[in-house]
Amino acid sequence: MKTTGIRLVFSSILLFFVLTVQAFGNGGELWYTRPAEKWEQDALPIGNGRMGAMIFGGIARDHLQFNEQSLWSGDNNWDGGYDTGDHGFGSYRNFGDVFIDFTHSATASLYRRALNIYTGVHTTAFQINEVHYTRQAFASYPDQVMVFRYAADKKQALSGAISLVSAQGATTVVQGNQLSFQGEMPNHLRYATMIKVVSEGGQVQVKENKLFFSNCNTLVLYVSARTNYKPAYAANWRGGDPMPLIDKELINALRTGYPALLSRHTKDITALTRAAIIDVGSTTDSILQLPVDVRLGKYAAGGTDPDLEEMLFQYGRYLLVSTSRPGGLPANLQGLWNNSNNPPWASDYHNNINIQMNYWSAESTNLSACHLPLIDFIVAAQEPCRIATRKAFGENVRGWTARTSQSIFGGNGWEWNIPASAWYAQHVFEHWAFTADTVYLRNTAYPILKEICNFWEDRLKKTPDGKLVVPNGWSPEHGPREDGVMHDQQLIWDLFQNYLDAAKALQVDNAYRQKVASMQQQLAPNKIGKWGQLQEWQEDRDDPDDLHRHTSHLFGVFPGKQITPDRTPELANAAVISLLARSGNYGKNSNKAFTVELTVGDSRRSWTWPWRCALWARLKQGDKAGMMLRGLLTYNTLPNLFTSHPPFQLDGNLGISGAIPEMLLQSQDGEIHLLPALPAGWAVSGSFKGLKARGGYSVNCVWRNGKVIQYNITSKQPRKVLVHINGMVKEITTKQGA
């Protein structure tokens, strides 16, 4: 095919530089001076909530590894072991790779590779023999395609070959201007992908099962991938053939054209990525001029870089937007991106902290719609979980819970995490708490909350002294199974409180409300142990030198709301001691100053830092919360800012975006607290815009020298609310707003 379009080449280059300049002005770019070498630590992600790619930005060869979130192995409604092969529990799988091999030199100057985390546009630019090459890539949610554009400022500068490789063994078919493959997994899940290639100038032809392009001015790849997965137990988790929908999407994309696709994508994603902004200080110009991997190294060596901290916050929000959109599946352990057919922990849904942490930022940072895939997943999993629950706990048990690992096919694997459904219920409730959507509360949240309360009404065990305990519980992933572990007790207290608040809001089920309130009052309470700690178990056997990664017995501080410095000060003080111990600052190190370096070994994990950051924030110790952010960036963040367990897990990225707001705004007690845990390093000046508080409030705030100097709180209708500000409590009437 031969076309002309040199004007479009120049307009593309101009757009690239406009996006670059805009990004430099707001800290919105991850940029590097060399191509990616390793998938996990170097490549950069794009995603539309369902489909995504990791981009390497090579010079002579560009590598695009891609995924679609429903490509899973494993059997439907699995219940039992943790076999992560083709059958059994299964795992999330790699979809495939695209390689674009160019005939030009592999040596370039002025190389720059970047991801704008506001626009979701990945750019690569370099020069070879005075020819400037530019590339752009994005994954569109409105049009459900990924788009990769290659251009140069000289005519006929692009020649090479495009190859498509299935990671599941399907045969690639090349004809006309397209490459495709389709196949069926051993579990009978059908999958397919197609790439349509459009060139301006030059020729594209089929040869050796590749698409060869020669003397082109620009080259655009339009990509779609799907499976026949359907999120419905009644349909046996399968829907129609994916290829007809793929073909339709690509035809529509070609008809729409690149400029309009880019415009629609940018408008869609920036409405989310810019919905909440924080400013916690200014980084010096000399640091801002460095690529991100160099800045990360300087920060890890003890440097200050508040813009890097802001970037990590926004990056987590970008990743949630890119991996969790309405109509799709929730973020798994790796979010959306996976280059393995045997990923760590099956890249599954771990419900004893990880999937929950993935969604801590959804409501508080104004990404409520991105929370819906998790809630839809919970709804879809209920029936297979009911069946598995009755099998394990008795045919007459009402309600449901889950094993620790879950798949997209109603599968439950590994150990039973008996309070899993109670933790899920917190997310179901929080979506209402932040949105004040009564229709959602009545139709979706309330039935789930009540059914899970039914399970615990049947499950709880009465001790000789009349207290109710969770039997055969587990303090993940730490102790033996026994009755009344504090993690479980706190979760059930939280469940009951959420149910009571929901029933009160709807003014329903008065008799059952009284029953749940009575059970809550009878729950065996939290205990303070012999060295002042919040006990993890009923027996006082905590070790002050234990550095276990989990802080399960502190759920009641965060994300729960049972323990607060204002309302339960003795328990909050005990929680402080327990958290100091987990951070290596008690027992044999009790006389040492609290530093980030004391958190060692098992406690240095991608997800431990965000949880501890949020815990310290809830305990109103801002400096320690800030140290946890520094710990994550120093010890468990890779050059591409992915967080590493190790290996790579996305919970650290998504979790820290939910922990940071707790330092700036809290609302768990029904009142709004401004700057409850501001670190000294952020105190000089700063602001936030678009953070959300429970009750349906949007909050903006500006501070100087640790004091609020301006704030604005809006809600859909003007309402009275108590606001904690600069050591005082004020009742204000909110302004009407979105």
Side-chain angles (χ1 to χ4, degrees):
M1 58 188 73
K2 293 183 178 181
T3 61
T4 60
I6 195 67
R7 290 182 180 177
L8 287 176
V9 174
F10 286 120
S11 65
S12 174
I13 295 169
L14 178 61
L15 176 60
F16 167 76
F17 284 113
V18 168
L19 290 172
T20 300
V21 171
Q22 289 176 343
F24 271 128
N26 57 28
E29 269 200 335
L30 281 65
W31 68 276
Y32 305 83
T33 57
R34 57 178 177 81
E37 295 180 3
K38 296 182 179 179
W39 182 93
E40 180 176 276
Q41 68 179 38
D42 297 323
L44 294 173
I46 61 171
N48 69 358
R50 179 184 65 80
M51 178 174 53
M54 293 288 282
I55 304 173
F56 285 72
I59 297 169
R61 161 174 273 200
D62 198 13
H63 178 195
L64 314 171
Q65 183 275 322
F66 67 100
N67 292 102
E68 202 277 350
Q69 63 183 186
S70 62
L71 189 70
W72 268 73
S73 67
D75 298 323
N76 291 357
N77 311 309
W78 179 258
D79 175 25
Y82 202 44
D83 179 357
T84 59
D86 289 337
H87 294 286
F89 180 80
S91 70
Y92 184 44
R93 294 295 180 92
N94 180 8
F95 214 107
D97 299 88
V98 182
F99 298 97
I100 304 96
D101 291 291
F102 296 91
T103 58
H104 60 57
S105 171
T107 302
S109 60
L110 302 177
Y111 182 91
R112 192 172 190 276
R113 174 173 61 97
L115 172 66
N116 187 305
I117 58 177
Y118 290 106
T119 65
V121 176
H122 182 285
T123 56
T124 308
F126 52 85
Q127 179 177 312
I128 300 175
N129 297 328
E130 298 186 1
V131 179
H132 296 271
Y133 295 86
T134 60
R135 304 171 183 170
Q136 291 177 306
F138 60 91
S140 168
Y141 177 73
D143 292 284
Q144 288 297 300
V145 292
M146 295 189 294
V147 185
F148 305 89
R149 189 174 192 270
Y150 299 81
D153 67 352
K154 180 182 177 181
K155 289 184 178 181
Q156 302 181 353
L158 300 176
S159 297
I162 305 168
S163 55
L164 171 67
V165 180
S166 168
Q168 302 305 318
T171 300
T172 297
V173 176
V174 187
Q175 56 184 11
N177 70 330
Q178 67 185 40
L179 306 93
S180 66
F181 64 70
Q182 53 188 321
E184 184 173 292
M185 304 278 281
N187 63 356
H188 305 301
L189 181 78
R190 295 201 299 274
Y191 61 91
T193 191
M194 181 183 291
I195 303 173
K196 288 186 178 291
V197 180
V198 175
S199 68
E200 295 169 359
Q203 294 182 335
V204 176
Q205 57 186 352
V206 179
K207 185 180 179 181
E208 300 172 355
N209 211 36
K210 297 180 181 180
L211 272 185
F212 281 78
F213 55 96
S214 58
N215 303 320
C216 296
N217 302 327
T218 66
L219 196 71
V220 185
L221 281 61
Y222 299 89
V223 183
S224 183
R226 287 187 175 273
T227 75
N228 70 330
Y229 173 76
K230 184 177 182 179
Y233 169 81
N236 207 30
W237 309 104
R238 301 295 188 275
D241 186 356
M243 190 57 90
L245 181 54
I246 288 172
D247 195 47
K248 180 181 177 181
E249 288 167 341
L250 291 175
I251 290 171
N252 288 339
L254 266 64
R255 185 182 298 122
T256 302
Y258 182 85
L261 287 171
L262 177 59
S263 177
R264 284 159 57 89
H265 159 75
T266 304
K267 181 179 179 181
D268 168 73
I269 195 171
T270 55
L272 297 170
T273 56
R274 293 189 180 278
I277 303 290
I278 67 168
D279 176 5
V280 298
S282 298
T283 296
T284 61
D285 289 342
S286 61
I287 297 295
L288 288 176
Q289 292 171 5
L290 299 173
V292 166
D293 51 343
V294 177
R295 288 172 62 183
L296 184 64
K298 288 183 174 295
Y299 185 93
T304 58
D305 192 343
D307 281 11
L308 183 64
E309 296 171 339
E310 295 165 17
M311 181 180 287
L312 191 66
F313 167 77
Q314 293 293 1
Y315 191 39
R317 295 183 70 255
Y318 164 79
L319 292 169
L320 184 60
V321 169
S322 300
T323 195
S324 185
R325 298 294 292 270
L329 288 162
N332 61 44
L333 278 174
Q334 295 182 190
L336 172 63
W337 301 278
N338 168 38
N339 68 338
S340 172
N341 289 326
N342 186 29
W345 299 283
S347 196
D348 66 15
Y349 298 103
H350 254 55
N351 58 41
N352 65 3
I353 178 61
N354 309 91
I355 189 173
Q356 294 91 345
M357 181 179 287
N358 282 355
Y359 286 88
W360 284 351
S361 69
E363 301 296 340
S364 61
T365 77
N366 214 351
L367 295 176
S368 189
C370 296
H371 208 173
L372 295 176
L374 175 60
I375 296 166
D376 291 343
F377 175 81
I378 294 167
V379 171
Q382 286 182 111
E383 186 56 26
C385 284
R386 290 182 187 116
I387 294 169
T389 298
R390 289 195 293 268
K391 176 183 173 183
F393 301 106
E395 284 299 318
N396 295 322
V397 171
R398 297 172 294 167
W400 61 274
T401 192
R403 294 179 184 267
T404 303
S405 297
Q406 291 184 272
S407 77
I408 67 170
F409 303 122
N412 280 280
W414 197 42
E415 294 269 359
W416 277 98
N417 181 27
I418 304 175
S421 57
W423 203 332
Y424 279 142
Q426 187 192 56
H427 284 264
V428 172
F429 175 82
E430 289 281 71
H431 184 64
W432 169 74
F434 277 91
T435 63
D437 182 346
T438 305
V439 174
Y440 160 81
L441 178 65
R442 179 180 294 108
N443 295 337
T444 301
Y446 184 76
I448 294 172
L449 289 164
K450 185 175 181 180
E451 183 178 4
I452 296 171
C453 285
N454 290 159
F455 173 81
W456 287 103
E457 182 183 357
D458 294 346
R459 178 72 182 163
L460 288 172
K461 174 182 177 181
K462 184 166 285 191
T463 63
D465 63 357
K467 299 295 183 182
L468 293 176
V469 294
V470 174
N472 196 32
W474 181 38
S475 191
E477 299 166 6
H478 195 193
R481 289 201 172 274
E482 60 187 57
D483 295 347
V485 299
M486 295 308 176
H487 165 264
D488 296 2
Q489 297 296 113
Q490 292 169 5
L491 266 164
I492 306 313
W493 186 96
D494 191 80
L495 166 70
F496 287 165
Q497 188 60 52
N498 291 339
Y499 170 80
L500 293 171
D501 291 344
K504 181 180 178 181
L506 294 174
Q507 289 297 302
V508 296
D509 286 343
N510 185 59
Y512 196 61
R513 285 162 61 186
Q514 294 180 31
K515 173 68 175 177
V516 170
S518 175
M519 290 191 293
Q520 187 188 47
Q521 292 171 3
Q522 295 177 70
L523 286 171
N526 291 292
K527 292 182 177 181
I528 298 175
K530 56 180 176 291
W531 45 279
Q533 85 283 11
L534 192 68
Q535 288 183 204
E536 188 165 359
W537 298 279
Q538 290 294 320
E539 182 183 344
D540 187 359
R541 64 170 185 269
D542 302 279
D543 180 355
D545 293 314
D546 184 356
L547 299 179
H548 195 271
R549 60 195 178 277
H550 279 267
T551 48
S552 301
H553 57 309
L554 303 185
F555 172 91
V557 178
F558 181 91
K561 55 194 175 188
Q562 184 180 6
I563 300 171
T564 73
D566 295 332
R567 300 190 178 187
T568 58
E570 292 184 355
L571 291 175
N573 288 336
V576 166
I577 292 173
S578 287
L579 194 50
L580 287 171
R582 282 290 201 270
S583 299
N585 197 221
Y586 210 79
K588 62 185 179 183
N589 292 324
S590 59
N591 294 323
K592 293 184 178 180
F594 187 91
T595 65
V596 69
E597 292 81 9
L598 287 175
T599 298
V600 299
D602 192 43
S603 280
R604 286 186 182 176
R605 304 291 182 185
S606 58
W607 54 269
T608 57
W609 300 105
W611 196 356
R612 295 177 192 195
C613 178
L615 287 167
W616 284 122
R618 284 282 179 92
L619 294 166
K620 297 187 176 181
Q621 300 203 22
D623 287 340
K624 291 184 175 64
M627 288 185 193
M628 299 301 100
L629 170 57
R630 176 168 285 278
L632 178 62
L633 278 165
T634 300
Y635 298 113
N636 293 88
T637 301
L638 300 168
N640 60 0
L641 296 193
F642 271 172
T643 55
S644 175
H645 186 278
F648 156 61
Q649 283 184 197
L650 205 67
D651 42 25
N653 289 107
L654 301 181
I656 201 65
S657 295
I660 287 173
E662 294 293 329
M663 301 155 76
L664 305 175
L665 173 69
Q666 294 181 18
S667 61
Q668 65 275 9
D669 60 1
E671 301 172 1
I672 293 175
H673 299 250
L674 298 177
L675 309 185
L678 189 69
W682 294 358
V684 174
S685 67
S687 65
F688 63 79
K689 180 180 180 181
L691 295 185
K692 305 291 277 190
R694 292 166 183 83
Y697 301 108
S698 294
V699 186
N700 303 339
C701 177
V702 180
W703 68 88
R704 296 289 183 273
N705 298 317
K707 298 292 184 182
V708 175
I709 62 170
Q710 182 181 338
Y711 68 98
N712 182 46
I713 302 175
T714 60
S715 53
K716 289 184 179 180
Q717 300 296 330
R719 296 173 56 189
K720 291 183 177 180
V721 63
L722 291 177
V723 180
H724 294 245
I725 175 173
N726 297 337
M728 299 179 291
V729 182
K730 296 182 178 180
E731 184 179 69
I732 69 161
T733 300
T734 63
K735 298 177 182 179
Q736 188 170 5

